[in-house]
């Protein structure tokens, strides 16, 4: 008796320069699967032990002011609520432009991060302080049916293009976690490539693309490592942990793992990719642990806004209170910072 078998067709993937460089001319679903499944597994115990060790490192008192200022410079000051209004976005921008009215030396955050329909209000409020100006503040927009990613590709691309046309400098997209977890790596890859193209401006330049993995839904460190490589291969400028809407969000072990992927990619290609932990980082003490982890894993060079960000809404307040403590020797009252 002869059993007939059906051989699935070889699906060619959307062209992406990075994937062509690494995978060669054989840019197909099968070659992508072979590559990702060939990535070594993660030593979970070793990863968590290293993260725990880095988390106990301390910095000298003389370096604390530098660390606090650096944290501010790396923040994407964020509001992503269904109740967001133009007024709330203007208030967020005002805080980004003047984080501490009592201390003009306070640096500004790297960006404000809002929903796509709020981009025009953020751009308007920033005025000449928008990203093009020296020491300007960028506008980041979440897109692609954030936070679920459950929409057609046409809707995701329109969402992205609208935000870019409105003036967004950066796009934070979400991957299709259902497709990834069911092994449809090619679909995820093609969507990232397409969203990257939707980030193209009329002058031919591109808004920076941050690819959100939503690590809390990927279940294993091995999946997070594969998803990180997939996002980079498809053209992501940043890999980002979370939307902030799923628990757990950013964790030190996961961020360490993603930094190791970025380090390995840099060794392989010489290209620098950014990392953005987002969600749950609320205190200066915790943020300093991330600074140490970055410096020890990929080097202090990565502590720049185009290579590392914190996605946060309340972190800035704690940093401002800590800076005040260093300057005066005591903590300010609860009304010293705005309630976001």
């Amino acid at each position: 008796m002869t059993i007939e078998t059906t051989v699935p067709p070889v699906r060619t993937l959307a062209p992406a320069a990075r994937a062509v460089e690494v995978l060669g001319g054989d840019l197909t679903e099968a070659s992508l699967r072979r590559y990702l499944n060939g990535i070594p597994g993660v030593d979970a115990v070793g990863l968590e032990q290293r993260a725990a060790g880095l988390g106990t490192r301390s910095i000298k008192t003389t370096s604390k002011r530098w660390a606090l200022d650096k944290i501010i410079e790396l923040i994407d000051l964020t509001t992503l609520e269904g109740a967001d209004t133009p007024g709330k976005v203007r208030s967020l921008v005002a805080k980004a432009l003047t984080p501490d009215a009592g201390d003009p030396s306070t640096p500004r955050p790297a960006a404000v991060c809002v929903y796509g329909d709020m981009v025009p209000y953020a751009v308007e409020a920033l005025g000449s302080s928008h990203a093009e100006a020296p020491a300007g503040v960028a506008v980041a927009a979440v897109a692609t049916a954030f936070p679920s990613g459950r929409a057609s590709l046409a809707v995701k691309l329109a969402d992205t293009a609208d935000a870019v046309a409105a003036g967004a400098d950066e796009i934070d997209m979400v991957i299709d976690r259902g497709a990834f977890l069911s092994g449809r790596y090619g679909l995820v890859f093609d969507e990232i490539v397409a969203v990257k193209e939707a980030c193209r401006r009329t002058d031919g330049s591109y808004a920076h693309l941050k690819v959100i993995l939503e690590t809390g839904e990927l279940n294993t460190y091995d999946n997070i490592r594969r998803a990180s490589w997939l996002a980079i291969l498809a053209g992501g400028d940043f890999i980002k942990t979370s939307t902030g809407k799923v628990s757990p969000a950013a964790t030190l072990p996961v961020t360490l793992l993603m930094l190791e992927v970025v380090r390995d990619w840099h060794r392989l290609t010489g290209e620098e990719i950014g990392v953005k932990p987002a969600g749950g980082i609320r205190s200066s003490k915790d943020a300093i642990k991330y600074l140490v982890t970055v410096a020890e894993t990929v080097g202090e060079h990565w502590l720049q806004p185009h290579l590392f960000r914190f996605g946060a809404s309340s972190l800035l307040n704690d940093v401002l209170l800590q800076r005040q403590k260093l300057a005066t020797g005591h903590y300010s009252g609860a009304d010293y910072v705005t309630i976001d």
Side-chain angles (χ1 to χ4, degrees):
M1 179 178 177
T2 302
I3 300 177
E4 294 184 1
T5 59
T6 301
V7 179
V10 176
R11 191 169 74 85
T12 301
L13 301 175
R18 291 174 183 162
V20 170
E21 179 182 358
V22 173
L23 302 179
D26 182 26
L27 195 55
T28 63
E29 179 120 32
S31 66
L32 179 64
R33 181 182 300 279
R34 282 196 302 271
Y35 186 83
L36 294 177
N37 288 339
I39 295 171
V42 178
D43 175 1
V45 173
L47 177 73
E48 292 175 355
Q49 286 180 341
R50 177 161 170 74
L54 291 169
T56 63
R57 301 276 182 90
S58 60
I59 63 172
K60 297 178 181 178
T61 303
T62 53
S63 300
K64 189 170 184 182
R65 177 61 177 259
W66 173 89
L68 293 174
D69 283 359
K70 179 58 65 175
I71 292 167
I72 295 174
E73 293 172 0
L74 299 174
I75 289 176
D76 281 359
L77 190 60
T78 302
T79 182
L80 296 171
E81 301 298 334
D84 284 344
T85 63
K88 184 175 182 182
V89 170
R90 293 187 187 103
S91 294
L92 189 78
V93 170
K95 184 169 184 175
L97 294 177
T98 310
D100 185 348
D103 184 355
S105 71
T106 308
R108 292 172 172 174
V112 292
C113 184
V114 298
Y115 276 109
D117 62 321
M118 294 288 108
V119 168
Y121 304 106
V123 171
E124 179 186 27
L126 282 169
S128 61
S129 297
H130 195 196
E132 288 78 13
V137 178
V139 175
V142 295
T144 64
F146 177 98
S148 69
R150 302 254 61 90
S152 69
L153 179 59
V155 169
K156 293 178 181 180
L157 298 182
D159 194 18
T160 302
D162 285 350
V164 173
D169 307 288
E170 303 168 2
I171 294 294
D172 290 29
M173 70 164 289
V174 288
I175 67 167
D176 184 335
R177 283 87 75 188
F180 179 86
L181 290 171
S182 60
R184 292 175 289 163
Y185 300 149
L187 187 153
V188 179
F189 178 94
D190 281 349
E191 284 202 351
I192 297 171
V193 173
V195 172
K196 176 74 173 183
E197 186 57 31
C199 288
R200 185 194 291 266
R201 303 185 183 96
T202 55
D203 65 359
S205 64
Y206 288 83
H208 273 64
L209 179 61
K210 306 192 198 90
V211 182
I212 307 171
L213 309 181
E214 197 66 287
T215 54
E217 292 186 341
L218 295 187
N219 302 324
T220 70
Y221 289 134
D222 286 349
N223 278 341
I224 293 168
R225 177 179 276 176
R226 288 191 195 99
S228 297
W229 277 95
L230 174 59
I232 294 172
L233 284 166
D237 300 301
F238 263 75
I239 47 176
K240 177 179 172 181
T241 62
S242 326
T243 62
K245 307 297 185 181
V246 170
S247 183
T251 68
L252 205 58
V254 163
T255 304
L256 171 60
L257 175 57
M258 292 167 67
L259 287 165
E260 289 176 345
V261 170
V262 163
R263 176 200 63 199
D264 293 346
W265 177 262
H266 182 251
R267 289 174 178 172
L268 179 67
T269 68
E271 188 177 16
E272 299 173 343
I273 302 297
V275 175
K276 179 180 173 179
I281 305 171
R282 298 184 176 89
S283 72
S284 304
K285 182 178 180 181
D286 284 342
I288 287 173
K289 295 176 183 178
Y290 283 84
L291 295 186
V292 171
T293 301
V294 172
E296 291 291 326
T297 307
V298 288
E300 291 186 21
H301 171 70
W302 247 259
L303 294 174
Q304 303 182 67
H306 71 283
L307 291 174
F308 190 78
R309 299 282 182 88
F310 292 104
S313 56
S314 59
L315 174 60
L316 179 57
N317 280 352
D318 187 70
V319 177
L320 294 176
L321 292 173
Q322 296 299 328
R323 289 179 89 255
Q324 178 84 358
K325 172 69 161 51
L326 282 181
T328 66
H330 59 82
Y331 285 108
S332 300
D335 59 350
Y336 180 73
V337 294
T338 60
I339 299 174
D340 301 315

